[in-house]
């Protein structure tokens, strides 16, 4: 009687097939990790190493990466001199993750800086940046909040492109949400205009800019997250901007965020004598 070898042969073929699948899976993991490392390197390179100082204005930022180490995001922040010496402050959040999002973030940040050198109007900067990003033909878009402050007078101008509103606070413990008018995110629709809110900073305090990863997550809706940030800012008690930024980024622990999260704190020390 002849023995059938089909079962052992089938087992051997199955093991070979499984081995190939494991090799392919490992290779995919290696490629994903390589892309993630490249994206993180791009992101770190695109974000500023330090933020400039302006008369009577101090800034500090904190950044918390995504809970998913492979999901590199496009959150960004920046501070730079605008035309006529105004302080330009920006924060944004690129839709999507990965190398493409990190690269698009760099393009958005560079566009804002270049355009801010020719105008102090944040609405015009966002409108021109929107056209520029659309012309690049990328499928991504970004939210953004851009403000300008004239240090000697305290004049504040704010423009938003689909971004989370600013939280403000004063040294006497008052704090709230600045519900400024806004427009659509940058990079979607051509010909957009971005309204500008004009205010005057009359006493020492803070302007706190965040991305939605700070205030929105599985455990908190965005309104709850913003309320938590308001509470932190209201209790700042004259804290250094770096210390306050560290306290605000901890709100992400309450929201259970999975996205990237960025915080940019602007400390305004008041109009100088004679301003």
């Amino acid at each position: 009687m002849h023995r059938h070898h089909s079962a052992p042969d089938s087992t051997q073929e199955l093991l070979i097939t499984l081995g190939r699948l494991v090799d392919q899976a490992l290779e995919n993991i290696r490629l994903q990790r390589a892309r993630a490392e490249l994206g993180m390197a791009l992101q770190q390179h695109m974000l500023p190493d330090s933020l400039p100082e302006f008369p009577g204005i101090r800034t500090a930022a904190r950044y918390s990466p995504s809970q998913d180490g492979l999901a590199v995001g496009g959150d960004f922040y920046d501070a730079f001199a605008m035309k006529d010496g105004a302080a330009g402050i920006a924060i944004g959040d690129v839709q999507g993750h990965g190398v493409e999002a990190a690269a698009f973030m760099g393009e958005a940040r560079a566009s804002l800086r270049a355009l801010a050198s020719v105008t102090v109007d944040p609405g015009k900067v966002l409108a021109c940046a929107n056209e520029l990003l659309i012309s690049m033909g990328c499928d991504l878009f970004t939210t953004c909040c851009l403000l300008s402050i004239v240090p000697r007078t305290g004049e504040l101008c704010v423009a938003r492109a689909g971004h989370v509103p600013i939280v403000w606070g004063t040294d006497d413990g008052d704090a709230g949400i600045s519900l400024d008018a806004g427009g659509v995110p940058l990079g979607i629709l051509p010909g957009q205009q971005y309204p500008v809110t004009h205010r005057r900073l009359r006493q020492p305090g803070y302007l706190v800019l965040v991305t939605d990863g700070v205030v929105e997550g599985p455990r908190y809706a965005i309104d709850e997250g913003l309320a938590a940030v308001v509470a932190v800012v209201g209790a700042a008690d004259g804290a250094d901007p770096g210390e306050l930024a560290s306290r605000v980024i901890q709100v992400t622990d309450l929201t259970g965020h999975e996205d990237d999260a960025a915080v940019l704190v602007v400390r305004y020390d008041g109009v100088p004598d004679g301003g």
Side-chain angles (χ1 to χ4, degrees):
M1 180 178 292
H2 296 286
R3 296 181 180 275
H4 294 285
H5 297 285
S6 58
D9 290 345
S10 297
T11 300
Q12 186 176 12
E13 290 173 4
L14 178 59
L15 290 173
I16 292 173
T17 301
L18 286 173
R20 288 173 179 166
L21 290 173
V22 169
D23 288 343
Q24 290 175 5
L26 290 173
E27 182 61 24
N28 286 335
I29 290 173
R30 282 193 288 269
L31 287 173
Q32 282 291 94
R33 290 196 179 281
R35 286 178 62 84
E37 289 173 2
L38 176 58
M40 284 186 282
L42 269 175
Q43 188 179 46
Q44 291 171 359
H45 178 71
M46 298 296 183
L47 292 175
D49 292 330
S50 60
L51 297 171
E53 293 186 0
F54 300 90
I57 296 173
R58 293 174 286 149
T59 58
R62 296 292 183 270
Y63 170 78
S64 176
S66 166
Q67 298 291 328
D68 180 355
L70 298 179
V72 179
D75 286 16
F76 67 92
Y77 54 83
D78 205 357
F80 42 80
M82 300 182 76
K83 186 179 180 181
D84 299 330
I89 312 292
I91 195 167
D93 185 356
V94 176
Q95 170 267 337
H97 296 88
V99 176
E100 293 81 6
F104 189 78
M105 175 264 282
E107 293 170 345
R109 182 175 164 237
S111 298
L112 295 174
R113 274 181 165 258
L115 293 165
S117 66
V118 296
T119 178
V120 74
D121 185 329
K124 290 181 180 179
V125 172
L126 292 187
C128 292
N130 180 58
E131 300 298 325
L132 183 57
L133 292 173
I134 289 174
S135 72
M136 293 178 179
C138 184
D139 292 332
L140 297 178
F141 62 86
T142 184
T143 66
C144 183
C145 180
L146 175 64
L147 56 88
S148 67
I149 305 173
V150 179
R152 68 181 182 277
T153 64
E155 181 182 356
L156 169 68
C157 298
V158 180
R160 289 195 301 145
H163 198 78
V164 180
I166 296 172
V167 172
W168 59 269
T170 57
D171 283 0
D172 59 8
D174 197 10
I177 302 168
S178 184
L179 298 176
D180 308 298
V184 300
L186 307 179
I188 300 178
L189 298 172
Q192 295 300 297
Q193 299 298 315
Y194 295 89
V196 178
T197 302
H198 298 268
R199 291 190 175 88
R200 191 171 296 274
L201 301 174
R202 301 187 182 279
Q203 56 182 310
Y206 305 91
L207 298 171
V208 179
L209 290 70
V210 301
T211 57
D212 59 8
V214 177
V215 293
E216 189 174 27
R219 295 195 294 269
Y220 264 29
I222 189 168
D223 290 345
E224 294 175 294
L226 281 169
V229 173
V230 170
V232 172
V233 176
D237 194 26
D240 176 83
E243 173 60 28
L244 182 56
S246 296
R247 296 178 193 172
V248 172
I249 201 74
Q250 291 176 9
V251 173
T252 59
D253 297 332
L254 301 175
T255 63
H257 87 109
E258 298 174 351
D259 198 3
D260 287 23
V263 174
L264 179 55
V265 171
V266 180
R267 167 68 188 180
Y268 181 65
D269 290 325
V271 177
D273 293 339

